[in-house]
Amino acid sequence: MPRIQIGSWASGLVDWLRDNVAWLFDFITYVLNGFYNAVHVVLAAPAPLVLAGILAILAWWLRGLPAALLTFLGFALIDSIEQWNETVSSLSLVLVACIITVAVAIPLGILAARSRAVGGVLRPVLDLMQTMPAMVYLIPGILFFGLGVVPGIVATIVFSMPPAVRMTELGIRQVDEELVEAAEAFGTPPRRTLFRVQLPLALPTIMAGINQVIMLALSMVVIAGMVGGGGLGGSVYNSLSSVDVKLGAEAGLSVVILAVYLDRMTGALNQRVSPLGRRALAKAQAALGGMKFLYWKPATSLATVGVVVLALVAGGMSVFGKDGAGKGAAASDGGGRSISLGYVNWDEGRATTFLWKEILEQRGFKPKVQALDAGPLFAGQARGDIDVQSNAWLPTTHAEYWKKYQDKLEDLGTWYDKTSLEIAVPSYMKDIKTLDDLKGKGGELGGRITGIEPGAGEMKILKDKVLKAYGLEDEYKVQESSTSSMLTELDRAIHDKKPIAVTLWSPHWAYNKYDLTKLKDPKGAFGSGDSLHMLGRKGFSKDEPQVAGWMKNFHLDEEQLTSLENEVTKAGVGHEQDGVRAWLKKNPGLVDKLAPSANADYAKGKDAGKAPNIGYPAWDEGIATTYLWKNVLEKRGYKPNIRNLDVGPMWTGLSTGQIDVETDGWLPVAQKQYWDKYQNDLVDVGAWYDKTSLEIAVPSYVKGVKTLDDLREHKDEFKGKIIGIEPGTGQMKRLKEVVAPEYGLTDFEVTEAGTSAMLAELERAYAKKEPVAVVLWSPHWAYSKYDLTKLADPKGTWGANNQIKTIANKSFPEKFPEFNGWLKNWKMSPEELGSLEQAIQDAGKGHEDQGVEKWIDAHPGIVDKMAPVK
């Protein structure tokens, strides 16, 4: 029978909706996020015991004094086991989901009760909603709404709605038809009959449906923790993925307390609002006799007063209890900005994520961390819900996700190299050394290889490639679990000296704790070793250049990584940051090394207070490097003076000592005449950029002009004009005296204005697609902005390529020995120079200092690299 492609149709529908109705999903996300945040702010504002008191008063009003006492004790217990914030988050999510569910379900139930056609259409839809496995709803939820509370709310609404619709329909249908007929006989309109007769009598059944909605919503909220829903669901997911009995017990107990409270309160609410419920309650209280006082319930007005008083107390505590924490955050690197960090719950991912959480907090950011499976993590990051993840295994393990999402991600670089994937066995299994040796050992190993998370790239490689390569697919089953489950199973097997094969990788602390054998992979089925990469969402480097710069320079060696993992593992789930802090105490100064602060007090140089005079021509590299050194020197306590001069006056000033140093000497060709004239009074401090070139350039849309000879033949097309720069430059002198005569260009008019004028003319001509020939040089940012052709110089008339050198007065090394040493060792790459020039261009004339500051922020550690101070 041919395969029916239901899955493909569903996937295609989801893709179509995501591509064409994104505006609707964005609107829903905005509304639900706002609703959730509003509810959460209200519930999270009071101190834990104050909110516990408010909930206890509600329990007293609904069920009596014993329920109030148990409520207070239960929520106080949640606070004592440090699950309060998670409980409040889950309660907020449940309330939001239930309010929306009830608001939609009850009208649908009424329609179904009053129209059999509507009921017939709704019934199969409700069957589908109610019987579909709950976790399936999370898949489109991630694609449509990203990670966080919104997909959890939507999935919860869909999953919990059927009972409310069905019970509402059932309750109305069960109302005695004679009562409805009597109401109609007395002329009661249908709407009044509905609200005065049918709904009051159906209310107990409707409330039972609402009770079921709340219970289902709470169960779904826990499942939503898998997609970053947070709350108790996140705690349960973390405890499961790390096999943490302590966290699992505490989170599970908190879920039970919250579920029992909501169940009992909604059941009691039925007795308060339903006439039938109130009569049943009165009969029950009359039968209590002398114990009646225990179940005395305050009047609604009295309960309201109690709630209001506690709310006012909470508000007062919120206003007067502020200690000013966080003041000055705007002056810090982060300024209180939020950065979201995601991680797969593997040791290196958890350890480095909480390391960066601690670093970012110390730098004034407000990082948020989420543990997710690999699939949701990459999908969420591609959507922009997660800013950074630190444990992407590339190019092999996570190749599938990288291939799918690479256009929406940024590779911030490798922080650990080189890893390996493998299957490992205890060393007491003497006859198994390679993957080939596993053949025929399925009986000994129970036909099982203990794996990790099903979404891990290693699991996919193992199933799709490794088992097939070694002919093991029919003999072994890969047991999917989690990293912590695998390690627990390994520990148990080694303790009992039983055979076991597990998926592992290097580096991993298990190799230090246990005596294991890495099974060799002679066929290379696992692929070459991976590197661990930092990945950012697309645009992260632009939005947070400083943080991106820190992360690009982040590296840990094996000793650092394994010791960090050990500290985090010892601290336990929920206390990872305590482990990070303990590790940082053993590695003093590491935070400043990994994340050098832009607001730190820079160490002063030995010659702090001195005031060197720095000259520069109005060329991009001269402007950029001069303002860069001005900034660096000021951070080191110097008081530099900078002066913009034409090339000739600047060299003259250098020779007389009026200018101490300049960073834009093009030698040995472009400025040769100045060097030949003044070299006895100057010193060559050294080259910081190699190699440059001089040229004439034309737009690439000018066809047939590739060389200087071609330029001569197209003289009329260019109106016999070459747009030059400053008249005193060596390039202009060489163009007129050597280049033009050699290529027959002497009848061209070479305009003499300035670099800015030349660039303005180039921009004007380029915008109109007019031919233009300009004097240019490399490196220059114009080649990035425009599509230009460098005219070839087959006769070599421009001479040898230049270096860009630092030239100083002969007294400079003695007057400024520290600065002179820094300049001697200074180098810049083309990428660094180009990005510096662009940062200054973006800042605009008169704001060069701001452009340099932004560039320094994006290149952390550059000050210490350029001007090291012991």
Side-chain angles (χ1 to χ4, degrees):
M1 182 175 177
R3 188 182 191 281
I4 301 176
Q5 301 293 333
I6 292 179
S8 299
W9 299 340
S11 177
L13 176 61
V14 168
D15 291 341
W16 185 88
L17 290 172
R18 184 181 57 185
D19 295 337
N20 294 277
V21 201
W23 60 270
L24 177 60
F25 299 131
D26 291 341
F27 175 74
I28 294 172
T29 300
Y30 175 79
V31 171
L32 292 183
N33 262 327
F35 193 3
Y36 170 82
N37 290 334
V39 173
H40 186 265
V41 165
V42 172
L43 293 179
L49 294 184
V50 174
L51 181 58
I54 292 173
L55 297 175
I57 290 176
L58 293 175
W60 191 13
W61 173 62
L62 289 170
R63 291 189 65 88
L65 190 58
L69 292 174
L70 289 173
T71 294
F72 187 82
L73 292 175
F75 283 100
L77 177 61
I78 291 175
D79 184 36
S80 71
I81 60 178
E82 299 180 353
Q83 290 293 318
W84 182 262
N85 291 333
E86 290 77 6
T87 301
V88 169
S89 296
S90 292
L91 180 58
S92 303
L93 205 157
V94 168
L95 290 177
V96 170
C98 288
I99 290 171
I100 296 173
T101 300
V102 171
V104 175
I106 290 180
L108 285 177
I110 294 172
L111 284 174
R114 304 186 75 170
S115 170
R116 294 195 178 275
V118 173
V121 171
L122 283 178
R123 197 166 296 113
V125 176
L126 297 175
D127 291 340
L128 177 66
M129 293 166 63
Q130 197 164 16
T131 56
M132 181 71 72
M135 285 186 287
V136 174
Y137 292 125
L138 298 179
I139 300 173
I142 295 172
L143 297 175
F144 292 152
F145 306 106
L147 300 175
V149 297
V150 175
I153 292 173
V154 173
T156 300
I157 291 171
V158 175
F159 183 67
S160 61
M161 186 176 293
V165 178
R166 293 183 190 279
M167 297 297 278
T168 301
E169 179 185 6
L170 178 63
I172 293 176
R173 287 190 184 280
Q174 285 181 336
V175 174
D176 194 335
E177 291 185 3
E178 293 182 356
L179 293 175
V180 176
E181 291 173 359
E184 292 173 349
F186 282 98
T188 306
R191 180 174 295 181
R192 187 178 290 263
T193 300
L194 174 65
F195 285 101
R196 293 298 183 89
V197 178
Q198 292 173 300
L199 283 179
L201 294 175
L203 196 55
T205 305
I206 294 173
M207 289 301 297
I210 293 174
N211 178 268
Q212 290 301 304
V213 167
I214 292 174
M215 293 299 100
L216 290 174
L218 189 57
S219 68
M220 192 63 190
V221 163
V222 173
I223 296 173
M226 297 177 64
V227 292
L232 293 172
S235 296
V236 171
Y237 174 67
N238 284 334
S239 68
L240 181 63
S241 60
S242 58
V243 194
D244 190 317
V245 177
K246 174 187 170 185
L247 180 62
E250 292 173 347
L253 180 59
S254 301
V255 172
V256 170
I257 292 172
L258 183 59
V260 170
Y261 177 79
L262 293 174
D263 176 66
R264 299 299 187 269
M265 293 308 105
T266 52
L269 186 62
N270 177 35
Q271 295 177 330
R272 277 284 190 176
V273 300
S274 167
L276 297 178
R278 287 195 294 269
R279 285 199 292 270
L281 179 62
K283 289 180 181 180
Q285 288 180 330
L288 290 174
M291 302 295 292
K292 189 181 298 185
F293 75 95
L294 289 176
Y295 292 91
W296 176 79
K297 301 178 184 66
T300 301
S301 57
L302 183 60
T304 302
V305 169
V307 170
V308 170
V309 168
L310 286 179
L312 291 174
V313 170
M317 292 174 66
S318 177
V319 172
F320 298 109
K322 291 180 180 178
D323 59 3
K327 286 183 180 179
S332 66
D333 296 274
R337 297 192 301 280
S338 177
I339 292 180
S340 57
L341 308 171
Y343 67 98
V344 180
N345 204 11
W346 299 346
D347 294 284
E348 78 286 343
R350 182 170 62 253
T352 52
T353 298
F354 280 94
L355 170 62
W356 275 105
K357 182 175 186 290
E358 175 66 19
I359 291 172
L360 291 172
E361 285 179 352
Q362 290 191 27
R363 290 295 181 254
F365 292 87
K366 291 184 177 178
K368 301 176 182 178
V369 300
Q370 288 185 341
L372 299 158
D373 278 342
L377 175 57
F378 274 86
Q381 197 172 13
R383 276 183 52 91
D385 301 320
I386 300 292
D387 290 315
V388 181
Q389 64 154 309
S390 63
N391 63 326
W393 288 57
L394 295 171
T396 305
T397 307
H398 289 142
E400 176 188 8
Y401 300 115
W402 178 250
K403 182 179 179 181
K404 184 175 182 180
Y405 298 115
Q406 61 180 316
D407 293 339
K408 299 178 181 178
L409 301 174
E410 294 180 358
D411 187 352
L412 300 178
T414 300
W415 62 268
Y416 187 94
D417 192 73
K418 192 84 148 156
T419 68
S420 64
L421 305 178
E422 57 255 353
I423 293 177
V425 301
S427 58
Y428 52 73
M429 298 176 67
K430 301 295 185 182
D431 55 344
I432 302 181
K433 302 296 182 183
T434 71
L435 290 172
D436 277 316
D437 295 336
L438 287 175
K439 189 76 173 177
K441 301 292 194 304
E444 182 181 352
L445 289 163
R448 183 178 68 176
I449 296 173
T450 304
I452 52 175
E453 291 78 6
E458 182 175 8
M459 293 288 281
K460 183 173 179 61
I461 294 170
L462 175 60
K463 293 176 183 178
D464 294 349
K465 296 181 180 179
V466 178
L467 294 183
K468 293 178 181 178
Y470 290 93
L472 304 174
E473 65 268 37
D474 296 327
E475 188 176 355
Y476 289 91
K477 176 184 178 183
V478 180
Q479 181 68 50
E480 296 176 345
S481 59
S482 66
T483 301
S484 298
S485 299
M486 176 273 293
L487 292 169
T488 301
E489 187 69 11
L490 175 63
D491 184 78
R492 186 185 65 81
I494 289 178
H495 180 270
D496 297 336
K497 295 292 183 188
K498 291 183 176 180
I500 188 172
V502 299
T503 54
L504 257 183
W505 54 93
S506 299
H508 197 286
W509 55 263
Y511 288 111
N512 294 325
K513 184 174 181 179
Y514 308 111
D515 189 5
L516 302 173
T517 300
K518 299 180 184 179
L519 299 190
K520 293 180 180 178
D521 177 19
K523 298 179 180 179
F526 268 118
S528 58
D530 278 318
S531 300
L532 299 183
H533 290 243
M534 300 284 292
L535 295 185
R537 60 168 172 78
K538 189 173 183 179
F540 178 72
S541 296
K542 182 179 180 181
D543 296 339
E544 293 291 351
Q546 185 182 34
V547 178
W550 293 339
M551 291 179 170
K552 287 176 181 178
N553 292 313
F554 172 54
H555 294 283
L556 291 180
D557 59 35
E558 185 169 1
E559 181 181 351
Q560 289 174 317
L561 177 57
T562 53
S563 61
L564 173 62
E565 289 176 353
N566 284 333
E567 290 292 348
V568 171
T569 301
K570 284 192 294 184
V573 178
H575 301 280
E576 293 89 351
Q577 224 162 331
D578 294 332
V580 168
R581 290 167 185 151
W583 183 76
L584 287 173
K585 286 182 180 179
K586 299 176 183 178
N587 294 270
L590 190 60
V591 172
D592 291 330
K593 180 180 178 181
L594 294 177
S597 174
N599 296 286
D601 292 329
Y602 285 91
K604 302 305 179 186
K606 290 187 297 183
D607 294 338
K610 289 187 176 181
N613 294 308
I614 306 174
Y616 68 96
W619 300 349
D620 293 285
E621 73 283 346
I623 295 169
T625 54
T626 301
Y627 274 93
L628 173 61
W629 274 110
K630 173 179 178 287
N631 189 291
V632 170
L633 289 172
E634 287 173 346
K635 286 178 166 55
R636 291 295 187 234
Y638 287 72
K639 298 178 180 179
N641 302 304
I642 62 174
R643 295 178 64 184
N644 175 214
L645 298 163
D646 280 341
V647 177
M650 185 173 64
W651 281 81
T652 302
L654 281 170
S655 67
T656 61
Q658 294 172 295
I659 300 296
D660 292 308
V661 67
E662 68 115 348
T663 61
D664 207 20
W666 285 55
L667 293 173
V669 180
Q671 296 175 2
K672 181 178 184 297
Q673 75 272 29
Y674 298 112
W675 177 254
D676 290 344
K677 182 176 181 180
Y678 298 115
Q679 62 180 312
N680 292 333
D681 298 316
L682 304 176
V683 60
D684 181 352
V685 180
W688 58 267
Y689 188 95
D690 190 77
K691 291 256 187 176
T692 69
S693 64
L694 306 177
E695 58 254 357
I696 292 175
V698 301
S700 59
Y701 56 74
V702 180
K703 304 302 181 183
V705 182
K706 303 295 182 183
T707 70
L708 291 170
D709 279 316
D710 296 334
L711 183 63
R712 181 186 67 249
E713 295 171 3
H714 290 74
K715 176 183 176 182
D716 293 340
E717 190 173 347
F718 291 95
K719 299 179 180 178
K721 184 184 295 185
I722 298 172
I723 310 300
I725 52 175
E726 290 78 5
T729 62
Q731 184 174 7
M732 290 288 282
K733 182 178 177 64
R734 192 169 187 85
L735 172 61
K736 293 178 179 179
E737 296 180 358
V738 180
V739 179
E742 188 68 29
Y743 285 97
L745 303 175
T746 51
D747 54 347
F748 273 74
E749 176 191 358
V750 180
T751 64
E752 297 178 343
T755 301
S756 298
M758 176 272 293
L759 292 170
E761 183 66 15
L762 172 61
E763 182 175 24
R764 186 196 66 78
Y766 202 91
K768 295 182 176 181
K769 290 289 187 289
E770 294 177 351
V772 66
V774 297
V775 174
L776 256 183
W777 55 94
S778 298
H780 197 285
W781 56 265
Y783 287 110
S784 299
K785 184 173 182 180
Y786 308 110
D787 189 6
L788 302 174
T789 300
K790 298 180 184 180
L791 299 190
D793 176 21
K795 299 178 182 179
T797 56
W798 283 116
N801 290 338
N802 286 282
Q803 294 178 312
I804 307 181
K805 294 192 172 191
T806 302
I807 307 298
N809 180 269
K810 64 182 179 181
S811 65
F812 177 75
E814 184 179 349
K815 288 174 61 178
F816 304 97
E818 185 179 45
F819 186 19
N820 183 66
W822 292 339
L823 289 170
K824 276 188 172 183
N825 295 313
W826 170 50
K827 306 288 181 187
M828 288 197 85
S829 68
E831 185 278 333
E832 287 175 326
L833 179 58
S835 61
L836 175 61
E837 291 179 351
Q838 192 60 55
I840 291 176
Q841 286 286 325
D842 292 342
K845 191 171 180 61
H847 302 281
E848 292 87 353
D849 285 315
Q850 292 93 317
V852 169
E853 280 286 359
K854 186 174 181 179
W855 186 83
I856 288 177
D857 287 347
H859 292 76
I862 194 69
V863 174
D864 292 329
K865 180 181 177 182
M866 290 176 62
V869 174
K870 294 183 179 179

